[in-house]
Amino acid sequence: MNNKKSNEKSSNIAGRVYDVSDYKRDDTLSSGLATTHEQASDAYNAGGIASADQNENDSEKEKEETE
């Protein structure tokens, strides 16, 4: 019986998606969803991970050229 309740709880957690109210909640799951949403949004707005890596490489090349 205890295992069944655990499986149901896990299913509820796995089905959970980000909600704006997650920023105001104090539980770990909400905090994690809010943080992940913010990171994904920032990466998307910056042009993705590949773009961020390219920007970093460009900055390093410029730094080497000025030295």
Side-chain angles (χ1 to χ4, degrees):
M1 184 81 175
N2 212 5
N3 192 23
K4 186 176 180 179
K5 286 183 181 181
S6 177
N7 286 341
E8 288 175 8
K9 185 176 180 182
S10 295
S11 294
N12 289 337
I13 291 172
R16 177 88 188 279
V17 294
Y18 167 76
D19 186 87
V20 177
S21 63
D22 287 332
Y23 279 104
K24 296 179 182 177
R25 293 183 182 159
D26 290 332
D27 63 291
T28 305
L29 179 59
S30 296
S31 175
L33 286 171
T35 300
T36 303
H37 179 266
E38 188 171 340
Q39 290 172 342
S41 178
D42 289 348
Y44 177 78
N45 288 324
I49 294 170
S51 178
D53 288 343
Q54 184 62 41
N55 290 340
E56 184 177 309
N57 290 338
D58 290 345
S59 295
E60 288 176 12
K61 286 180 186 177
E62 288 175 7
K63 194 176 192 180
E64 290 173 1
E65 290 174 1
T66 58
E67 291 179 350

